[in-house]
Amino acid sequence: MKIAFLWLFLASLALSIPVIFGLLGTTGLVITHNLGAEFDTRDLNSLISQLFSGMSSVPLMALPMFILAGELMNTGGITGRLVHFSQTLIGHLRGGLAHVNILSSVLFAGLSGSAVADTSALGSMLIPAMEKQGYTRRFAAAVTAASSVIGPIIPPSGIMIIYAFIMGVSPAALFAGGIVPGLMIGGGLMLMVAFLARRYDFPVASKRATLCEVYQAGKVTFWPLLTPVILLGGILTGFFTPTEAAGIAAFYALIVALFILRALKFGELPRIFLRSAIASGIILLLIGASKSFSWAADQVGAAQMLADFVLGLTENPILLLILLNVMLFVVGMFLDAGPAILILGPILSKVYVGELGVDPIHFAIVMCVNVTVGLATPPMGLVLFVAAAVSKEKVETIAKAMLPFLAVEIAVIFLITMFEDLVLFVPRLLGLA
């Protein structure tokens, strides 16, 4: 029954049953069967209690606020300003617009923290522009999809908040730990573009901007770019909690979009609030369902069974970490980042943190980066589908064009796995690890 517990859930995914119903249905069936005649209403009450306790948490209030802040920034005309600012900085390089695409994703990450929002907002603007300059549409879509995974890695990050809540790890430490890996991915992607630009003679996007032009472009993006500075500065210095920071971010985004940039009208607010509420509701339900799933995994011994199996393969911690990367990469192909963390985080952390002694912050970042890169891998990568919808290009052709960039991201994953100081340097510097 311990093995059936996992297979039942995988079967529900194969049948296209929504993840939340797959989680709750599997949990209910397994608990009922496992306890048999001893099952009574108290077990059902425990199951429901786990569902609600997973949603009713003060730290989780940060999620709806960050989602709202991202929606306000996305709708408030920030994207065009970020692209223009990036172009004045590096548009003169060969392959300039591809570089601009990646740099815009790095800057956008500090505002929205969402790979899907990045792909949609930047893709709709940059893919047509790149195509007009002579890039193939599939290459433009591939660059957009590959760089968008930086969004949930560079803080603020929704999946890191989810992980921090589920595993009881400091959100501030995770935010600090994501900075170097996120910048490594951005830098690695730009190096790959530079290599491809020389090989295929990519066009230059624009002439080198003057200092005055850079200043003017920076001036119009100053207030939006101040958002991550306020957030991270407050969180990492302990001036306010991540939950308080999320509320401040939402309020600040509202003020900037309405009164400073004047790119948002009051009439658009109900639609923004509704989208934020729906997205928040979906995520919170998933968190509650995964809490029930994790509780049931403990009840039937599935977590311990997996731990015994993994530790029985080898005693070499390096090989076990490589195995972790392969496992998470495959999982990321089929499961969205949030559900992957919610389902596997509590189980795998018992093996790697509890049994092998891997640093909890290091493990968390390795896991978050892995499942985030999975968003851009076939066959079920959500970012790939968004890029395909925006570019009107086939998913398989985008996936093929993405291979060089995917190789860079996999290399970064193995680097941060083998060298934990790449992850822990900033948290230790700030006294968070």
Side-chain angles (χ1 to χ4, degrees), residues 101-102 105 115-116 118-120 122-123 127 138-151 185 189 372-373 375-377 381-388 398-399 402 405-406 409:
N101 198 324
I102 296 165
S105 290
V116 173
D118 184 315
T119 308
S120 178
L122 293 177
I127 291 174
R138 62 177 176 272
F139 178 82
V143 172
T144 304
S147 63
S148 68
V149 303
I150 300 170
I185 290 177
L189 293 177
T372 301
V373 170
L375 290 171
T377 54
L382 183 58
V383 159
L384 274 182
F385 287 102
V386 175
I398 298 174
M402 259 193 67
F405 304 114
L406 195 57
E409 291 168 349

Side-chain angles (χ1 to χ4, degrees), residues 211-417:
L211 287 177
C212 181
E213 288 171 332
V214 172
Y215 170 76
Q216 291 298 326
K219 189 167 67 171
V220 297
T221 54
F222 173 77
W223 293 107
L225 291 178
L226 201 58
T227 307
V229 176
I230 295 171
L231 289 180
L232 295 180
I235 293 172
L236 298 180
T237 59
F239 190 74
F240 40 69
T241 67
T243 308
E244 292 166 343
I248 291 168
F251 180 72
Y252 179 78
L254 184 66
I255 297 300
V256 168
L258 279 177
F259 301 112
I260 297 178
L261 300 180
R262 297 181 181 177
L264 189 65
K265 298 178 181 177
F266 280 98
E268 296 176 280
L269 291 180
R271 183 165 47 87
I272 292 172
F273 291 148
L274 179 62
R275 284 204 306 265
S276 302
I278 291 172
S280 302
I282 292 170
I283 294 173
L284 290 173
L285 279 171
L286 276 172
I287 292 173
S290 70
K291 191 85 183 295
S292 298
F293 188 88
S294 301
W295 172 78
D298 280 336
Q299 294 295 307
V300 301
Q304 188 59 48
M305 181 200 68
L306 181 62
D308 294 340
F309 171 74
V310 171
L311 294 173
L313 294 175
T314 177
E315 295 182 358
N316 188 318
I318 301 298
L319 289 178
L320 286 172
L321 283 170
I322 292 173
L323 177 64
L324 170 71
N325 282 325
V326 173
M327 185 193 315
L328 290 174
F329 186 76
V330 173
V331 167
M333 291 180 177
F334 299 94
L335 205 57
D336 198 6
I341 284 174
L342 290 167
I343 296 162
L344 295 176
I347 297 174
L348 293 177
S349 68
K350 290 185 178 180
V351 180
Y352 288 90
V353 178
E355 301 287 341
L356 293 176
V358 176
D359 185 273
I361 299 170
H362 181 216
F363 174 78
I365 297 300
V366 168
M367 185 169 190
C368 288
V369 174
N370 258 294
V371 297
T372 301
V373 170
L375 290 171
T377 54
M380 300 296 290
L382 183 58
V383 159
L384 274 182
F385 287 102
V386 175
V390 171
S391 65
K392 304 295 188 296
E393 190 68 57
K394 291 181 179 179
V395 170
E396 53 268 31
T397 59
I398 298 174
K400 190 179 295 185
M402 259 193 67
L403 290 177
F405 304 114
L406 195 57
V408 169
E409 291 168 349
I410 291 172
V412 171
I413 288 172
F414 276 94
L415 282 173
I416 65 173
T417 301

